[in-house]
């Protein structure tokens, strides 16, 4: 930590803070500038109490961390790309994958039609929500366990592993048995208890970025997963809330580049929840591939008009091959391997 004093702080205050830093287990190194005095506190912030407390002193201007809040997630800790397998489909490490399926599971017929269309289009991994985090309690909340059973049945029939969202701890045991990859949705990115629980499920986790979390907070959430025993983490950017209303969420592609640079984890993008509208999904998906995404997760429904949630952003599954024909060449141009070409 770097502790910055306000200009012309008296020497006795500097010595007082220096003593507190020593008492907290760090080694203080005082650096006296013309106006500002700075103390570099040397020591592992994981081992000692936080020095953030020093902010309470009126003569302290700032307390700046020099160590990253996330460690096991960082490339400094693990230089090689981590490759996560979702039921055999490799995510990360130079591979590129498209995960697709309806926003929510509505019926066996809906999921079977979607899976058949998507498989024909070259999609290897299905998505679909059995438990849905809806903004209004009056909206369709998902089929719950019945939805999970449908996902499992369709996944087995079409040999397509699936990703589905975990909403609460009471569903964790069931999901850990059935899902190939468990999604933590944007609303739960900072639900630390849920992160601890999902980390011990023994399944890969797709961690969406919260709609108001910074990249550091998102990567710290990934750190929770790794610290609590889940090494197979896929980060997923899905747009953040800004002042801009023309898309549902503002797709932060800068965060994709930063996450790729800062971490060894695969980075996926969900262009559907960023776009909010069908015609914007393809350009945002293409931009995601160009920004270096290892995977995209896209909503697609056999009949979007009748969809129980997110109708406006879902690609008709019968047209998904057209979407793939734009994405696949771009992924290849980015020197990514796709499972059919491996
Ligand atoms: C979803 O993927 O169905 C979903 C609700 O996404 P998010 O958590 O990103 O809003
Ligand atoms: Mn949705």
């Amino acid at each position: 930590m770097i502790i910055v004093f306000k200009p012309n702080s008296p020497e006795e205050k500097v010595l007082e803070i220096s003593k507190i830093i020593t008492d907290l287990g760090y080694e203080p190194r005082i650096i006296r500038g013309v106006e500002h005095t700075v103390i570099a506190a040397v020591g592992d912030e994981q081992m000692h109490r936080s020095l953030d407390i020093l902010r309470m002193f009126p003569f302290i201007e700032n307390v700046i961390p020099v160590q990253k809040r996330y460690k096991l997630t960082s490339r400094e800790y693990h230089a090689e790309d981590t490759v996560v397998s979702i039921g055999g489909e490799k995510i990360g490490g130079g591979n590129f994958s498209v995960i697709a399926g309806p926003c929510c599971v509505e019926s066996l017929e809906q999921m079977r039609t979607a899976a058949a269309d998507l498989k024909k289009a070259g999609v290897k991994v299905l998505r679909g929500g059995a438990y849905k985090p809806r903004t209004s309690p009056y909206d369709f909340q998902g089929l719950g366990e019945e939805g999970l059973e449908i996902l499992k049945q369709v996944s087995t029939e079409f040999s397509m592993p699936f990703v589905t969202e975990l909403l609460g701890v009471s569903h964790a045991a069931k999901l850990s048995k059935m899902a190939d990859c468990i999604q933590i949705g944007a609303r739960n990115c900072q639900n630390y208890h849920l992160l601890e629980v999902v980390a011990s499920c023994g399944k890969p986790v797709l961690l969406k970025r919260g709609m108001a979390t910074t990249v550091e907070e998102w990567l710290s959430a990934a750190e929770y997963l790794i610290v609590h025993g889940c090494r197979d983490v896929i980060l997923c950017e899905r747009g953040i809330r800004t002042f801009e209303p023309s898309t549902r969420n503002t797709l932060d592609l800068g965060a994709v580049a930063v996450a790729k640079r800062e971490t060894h984890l695969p980075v996926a993008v969900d262009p559907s929840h960023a776009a909010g509208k069908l015609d914007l999904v393809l350009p945002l998906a293409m931009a995601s591939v160009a920004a270096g995404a290892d995977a995209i997760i896209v909503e697609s429904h056999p009949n979007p008009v009748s969809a129980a949630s997110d109708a406006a952003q879902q690609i008709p599954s019968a047209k998904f091959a057209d979407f793939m024909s734009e994405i696949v060449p771009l992924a290849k141009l980015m020197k990514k391997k796709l499972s059919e070409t491996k």
Side-chain angles (χ1 to χ4, degrees):
M1 284 279 197
I2 304 291
I3 294 93
V4 185
F5 288 78
K6 288 195 175 147
N8 311 311
S9 289
E11 179 66 11
E12 81 233 36
K13 297 295 179 198
V14 175
L15 296 177
E16 186 187 320
I17 293 296
S18 173
K19 169 140 188 350
I20 294 172
I21 291 171
T22 307
D23 291 346
L24 287 172
Y26 298 83
E27 186 193 325
R29 298 205 183 135
I30 303 174
I31 304 152
R32 291 185 174 84
V34 181
E35 274 197 3
H36 283 280
T37 296
V38 163
I39 300 182
V42 182
D44 189 344
E45 286 159 39
Q46 301 276 311
M47 311 270 292
H48 303 293
R49 282 188 42 204
S50 169
L51 290 172
D52 248 19
I53 186 83
L54 299 177
R55 290 179 194 277
M56 67 183 262
F57 291 97
F59 42 89
I60 298 291
E61 189 166 282
N62 207 354
V63 177
I64 306 165
V66 285
Q67 285 184 359
K68 293 193 172 125
R69 309 296 295 171
Y70 50 88
K71 293 177 192 297
L72 304 175
T73 304
S74 73
R75 265 208 199 273
E76 284 147 30
Y77 170 74
H78 190 274
E80 301 292 307
D81 282 356
T82 287
V83 180
V84 175
S85 165
I86 303 183
E89 174 75 356
K90 289 184 187 152
I91 316 284
N95 300 287
F96 182 78
S97 297
V98 178
I99 303 166
C103 177
C104 63
V105 181
E106 294 160 18
S107 68
L108 178 61
E109 196 202 340
Q110 171 232 20
M111 280 309 300
R112 288 190 76 244
T113 310
D117 287 345
L118 295 170
K119 186 165 179 131
K120 209 154 52 163
V123 172
K124 299 290 186 299
V125 182
L126 281 175
R127 64 146 285 151
Y131 300 94
K132 293 303 300 175
R134 304 306 303 281
T135 302
S136 165
Y138 305 113
D139 288 340
F140 178 58
Q141 305 287 306
L143 292 180
E145 268 193 52
E146 187 194 343
L148 278 183
E149 302 289 346
I150 291 172
L151 279 166
K152 190 75 191 169
Q153 184 177 333
V154 173
S155 158
T156 307
E157 181 181 344
F158 290 88
S159 301
M160 296 170 85
F162 69 94
V163 183
T164 196
E165 178 166 352
L166 175 64
L167 258 196
V169 292
S170 59
H171 310 141
K174 189 96 186 161
L175 253 75
S176 61
K177 260 194 242 126
M178 302 190 60
D180 298 289
C181 177
I182 300 177
Q183 173 172 317
I184 294 294
R187 290 154 190 82
N188 276 318
C189 176
Q190 290 180 290
N191 182 340
Y192 301 117
H193 179 59
L194 190 64
L195 295 176
E196 285 180 27
V197 171
V198 75
S200 57
C201 281
K203 290 291 168 78
V205 175
L206 183 126
L207 175 66
K208 296 265 191 111
R209 179 181 178 189
M211 53 191 92
T213 56
T214 63
V215 171
E216 188 183 57
E217 287 163 344
W218 179 35
L219 303 187
S220 298
E223 188 81 7
Y224 264 88
L225 294 173
I226 300 177
V227 163
H228 289 280
C230 176
R231 306 192 71 82
D232 293 330
V233 179
I234 302 164
L235 296 165
C236 182
E237 160 63 33
R238 47 77 75 201
I240 51 174
R241 189 165 281 188
T242 68
F243 52 84
E244 177 53 59
S246 61
T247 50
R248 185 175 177 187
N249 291 285
T250 299
L251 187 61
D252 183 3
L253 290 176
V256 174
V258 173
K260 289 291 299 172
R261 187 191 66 192
E262 287 290 305
T263 84
H264 52 87
L265 300 174
V267 181
V269 175
D270 169 352
S272 305
H273 289 88
K277 289 185 205 95
L278 177 61
D279 63 319
L280 298 175
V281 177
L282 177 62
L284 295 192
M286 292 179 86
S288 307
V289 179
D294 298 299
I296 50 173
I297 176 164
V298 184
E299 286 191 343
S300 175
H301 190 288
N303 183 21
V305 179
S306 72
S309 58
D310 290 349
Q313 68 195 29
Q314 303 206 53
I315 298 174
S317 54
K319 295 216 173 115
F320 208 80
D322 296 345
F323 176 84
M324 290 292 273
S325 71
E326 303 281 350
I327 294 296
V328 169
L330 192 55
K332 288 182 180 161
L333 195 67
M334 293 297 291
K335 302 198 169 39
K336 301 274 195 199
K337 289 171 276 172
L338 285 97
S339 40
E340 72 265 16
T341 57
K342 268 183 264 172

